[in-house]
Structure formats: C-alpha cells, structure tokens
C-alpha cells in the first residue's frame, strides 16, 4: 500500500483532510513523521578519516543509505602523545562541529548518545582500551586501521566482542582499491603490492601506515601466510611472505620517492594491475550496512592474520631479515 492510500484508509478512524493539497506529496510529507536517523559517534579526532566520514554522512540526501544515519557526537582523543595527533585534534575538532557534531568529554558520555561507533583514533596502542568500553556497551563498532598495535591486542578485541555479543569490524580503505574486489581469489597465485609506509616510533613499522598494503595483500591471498622476511633499506622495505600452499607474495613499503598505492596480481590465466585508490566511500559503503546487519564483511581471522604478519615482519627486521613464522590463529577457535 502506498503512502496516499494508507492515509486515506485512516479516514474512518477520524483523520480528516481539509484541502485537496493535503494529498500532494508535500502534504503527505507534513503528515507522516520522518524516519529517525541512526546516530553514530566518533572516537578520535586525530584522523582525517573522521572528517571524511562525517562530511559524507551528514551532507547526504535523505533518501540515500548515508541519509539514514547521522554523526551526532565525537570524543576527540585520540592520542595525547603522538605529535601528529596533537597537531590535528584542535583543527579537526573545530571542523567537525561545523557539521552539527557535538564534542563530548568522555567515551562514556558519547555512548549515551549514539547507536554505533567509529573508532578513528590514530594510535593503535589505545584501541583495545577504547574498544572494550564500546563493546561492553554493546554498540556495533568499526575500528579503523590499525585494529591495534599487536596481534595480542587484536585478539583481545575479538574475544571481547564475542563475550559481549557485540559486532566489530576493522579494515583499511585500500581493501577496496579499484579492481581488487572483482578478482576471483581462487585463481590468485601471487601478488606484489605497494603503498606509502612512513613509520612512527610509537608503532611497529607496518601498523602505522604500511598496513594499507598488507590489507591489500591479504584481501588477495587470504590468511594462510606462514612465514615472512623483511629486507630493510633506507628508502624502502620489502616484506616477502610464503603461504602454506607454497604461494609467494610481497609488500613494498615506500618511504622515499613518489607515494602511491597499487600492485600486480598474478592469476592462473592473467596478470592484473590494480587500479586507483578512490577515497573512503567504498569503505563507508561497507561500514553502514555492517551497522545495520551486524555482519562484518571481513573475516576476523583474516584481520588477525594481518596483525600476525606485521608482528613477524617487525621481528624479522630486528633479526637482520631472517624468516619468522607467523603467530598461529588457533586461539580464537573456529
């Protein structure tokens, strides 16, 4: 039954209309209440992703998927110790308020106002502590890259999500680089991917920025990597992984020269070059349905495998490039 006929059906119940204009689309919009938007909160205003997501959602047309949501509150911290974060937080705080977002003084205060949470804190060391507060409140949670600064913390996040029955999802936006999702992963025999890989002393090397390339690699190859070795030079690092089925794949982390994202994928019947990074829209297109359904588009074991790869790559670097076995993923069960 359409809107007009629904309203007409209410006439016998005492609902009356005084003019024919009441049956216009404009009149019906005045009579029927507008659907309430689902409320999103953001933790961490030290990431440019916070503004990108807020702008996309809060300026969307009402009849779109994005228009069903609204970012209503944000807790700015975020790291209080990393220089880049200290520089960004005041600027992003001022900017996000222009989109109607209330800035609150604690995560507890934020959780009282929202249905879902975007954890955007740039510092992966804080993610476990902040995520636990959200998971205990049973608010579906998206954790931006990195999920943590260690496999151990990432595992604790997933264990807590199970304990509290709260959905959680983590991903880099580069998982959705042009051309990657369309590939038949069963045909992938190897891959060489690259991304900028600037580092920060607060994080193991690949967690800070190179995780974008690692995310692409595991989206292509799957979670079965068993060893990794790191070749470290001043301007770049190479990370060569071996999978349990004998396949080889690599990450090139760029620290000097031109920055870009991409890669070459070797399939059984062709060689494919990945396309351009198209911003954060493709990731947000997965986050919002995740909030609605509670179903993560990325398997938790794959996210843990990414963390295991980064931990092992760091150990290999410290050991002069010796191959290092990855942490087994059997603790989570399943």
């Amino acid at each position: 039954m359409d809107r007009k006929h629904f309203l007409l059906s209410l006439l016998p119940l005492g609902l009356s209309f005084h003019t024919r204009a009441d049956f216009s689309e404009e009149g019906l919009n005045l009579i029927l209440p507008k659907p309430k938007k689902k409320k999103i909160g953001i933790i961490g205003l030290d990431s440019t992703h916070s503004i990108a997501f807020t702008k996309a959602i809060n300026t969307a047309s009402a009849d779109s998927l994005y228009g069903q949501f609204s970012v209503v509150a944000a807790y700015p911290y975020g790291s209080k110790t990393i220089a880049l974060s200290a520089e960004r937080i005041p600027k992003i705080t001022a900017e996000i308020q222009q989109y109607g977002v209330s800035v609150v003084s604690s995560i507890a205060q934020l959780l009282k106002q929202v249905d879902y949470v975007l954890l955007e804190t740039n510092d992966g060391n804080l993610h476990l502590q902040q995520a636990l507060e959200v998971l205990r409140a049973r608010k579906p949670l998206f954790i931006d890259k990195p999920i943590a600064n260690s496999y151990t913390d990432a595992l604790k996040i997933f264990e807590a999500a199970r304990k509290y029955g709260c959905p959680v999802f983590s991903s880099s936006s580069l998982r959705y680089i042009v051309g990657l999702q369309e590939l038949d992963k069963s045909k992938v025999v190897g891959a060489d991917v690259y991304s900028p890989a600037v580092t920060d002393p607060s994080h193991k090397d690949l967690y800070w920025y190179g995780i974008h390339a690692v995310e692409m690699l595991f989206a292509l190859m799957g979670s079965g990597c068993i060893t990794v070795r790191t070749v470290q030079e001043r301007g770049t690092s190479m990370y060569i992984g071996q999978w349990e089925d004998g396949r080889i794949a690599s990450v090139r982390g760029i620290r000097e020269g031109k920055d870009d994202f991409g890669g070459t994928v070797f399939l059984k019947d062709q060689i494919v070059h990945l396309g351009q990074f198209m911003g954060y829209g493709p990731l947000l297109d997965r986050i919002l349905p995740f909030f609605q359904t509670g179903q993560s588009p990325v398997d938790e074991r794959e996210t843990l495998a990414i963390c295991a790869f980064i931990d092992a790559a760091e150990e290999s670097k410290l050991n002069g490039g010796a191959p290092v076995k990855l942490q087994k993923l059997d603790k989570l069960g399943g």
Side-chain angles (χ1 to χ4, degrees), residues 132 135-136 138 154-168 299-301 304 329-334:
L132 285 175
L135 296 171
R136 289 189 192 107
R138 292 179 169 83
L155 179 63
K156 289 178 180 177
I157 288 171
F158 284 120
E159 288 177 335
R162 289 191 175 192
K163 176 180 178 181
Y164 296 109
C166 184
V168 65
D299 187 273
E300 61 191 22
R301 290 177 66 83
L304 287 171
L329 306 182
D330 55 1
K331 292 184 179 181
L332 203 60

Side-chain angles (χ1 to χ4, degrees), residues 280-310:
Y280 307 114
L283 176 57
L284 193 54
D285 290 344
R286 273 76 177 185
I287 295 172
L288 298 182
F290 159 73
F291 283 158
Q292 292 175 317
T293 66
Q295 299 299 312
S296 173
V298 180
D299 187 273
E300 61 191 22
R301 290 177 66 83
E302 189 169 306
T303 301
L304 287 171
I306 289 170
C307 296
F309 181 94
I310 294 175

Side-chain angles (χ1 to χ4, degrees), residues 66-269:
Y66 290 15
Q68 298 175 36
F69 297 85
S70 179
V71 178
V72 299
Y75 172 67
Y77 301 99
S79 177
K80 299 181 180 181
T81 59
I82 297 173
L84 178 63
S85 296
E87 176 187 324
R88 283 176 169 175
I89 287 173
K91 296 177 182 177
I92 295 178
T93 299
E95 188 175 353
I96 205 167
Q97 289 174 308
Q98 297 175 15
Y99 295 97
V101 178
S102 172
V103 176
V104 299
S105 59
S106 69
I107 294 175
Q109 187 179 351
L110 177 100
L111 293 173
K112 293 176 181 179
Q113 301 180 31
V114 304
D115 304 300
Y116 312 110
V117 176
L118 297 167
L119 177 44
E120 298 296 323
T121 300
N122 224 15
D123 187 352
N125 295 292
L126 300 177
H127 283 185
L128 174 59
Q129 172 191 344
Q130 294 180 327
L132 285 175
E133 201 165 346
V134 178
L135 296 171
R136 289 189 192 107
R138 292 179 169 83
K139 306 286 184 176
L141 173 64
F142 170 74
I143 304 177
D144 218 326
K145 64 84 189 167
I147 187 173
N149 191 31
S150 68
Y151 173 93
T152 300
D153 277 8
L155 179 63
K156 289 178 180 177
I157 288 171
F158 284 120
E159 288 177 335
R162 289 191 175 192
K163 176 180 178 181
Y164 296 109
C166 184
V168 65
F169 158 43
S170 181
S171 176
S172 156
S173 54
L174 268 297
R175 175 177 288 271
Y176 304 106
I177 191 171
V178 171
L180 192 154
Q181 291 297 316
E182 296 76 17
L183 292 174
D184 182 348
K185 309 304 188 300
S186 69
K187 294 183 178 180
V188 175
V189 297
D192 299 322
V193 299
Y194 57 86
S195 82
V198 292
T199 61
D200 188 272
S202 62
H203 286 67
K204 297 169 188 175
D205 285 356
L206 284 171
Y207 281 118
W208 184 247
Y209 207 89
I211 190 171
H212 286 308
V214 183
E215 187 93 28
M216 287 190 284
L217 193 72
F218 278 78
L220 291 163
M221 298 286 293
S223 60
C225 187
I226 55 174
T227 64
V228 61
R229 63 185 181 91
T230 300
V231 180
Q232 180 88 20
E233 293 295 341
R234 187 187 60 148
T236 190
S237 293
M238 289 289 295
Y239 307 92
I240 301 105
Q242 179 179 345
W243 267 249
E244 57 193 357
D245 57 9
R247 294 178 299 161
I248 302 292
S250 71
V251 166
R252 175 181 287 269
I254 303 169
R255 300 193 180 96
E256 286 185 1
K258 178 175 172 54
D259 281 348
D260 207 347
F261 303 95
T264 302
V265 187
F266 304 94
L267 295 96
K268 294 176 181 178
D269 53 357

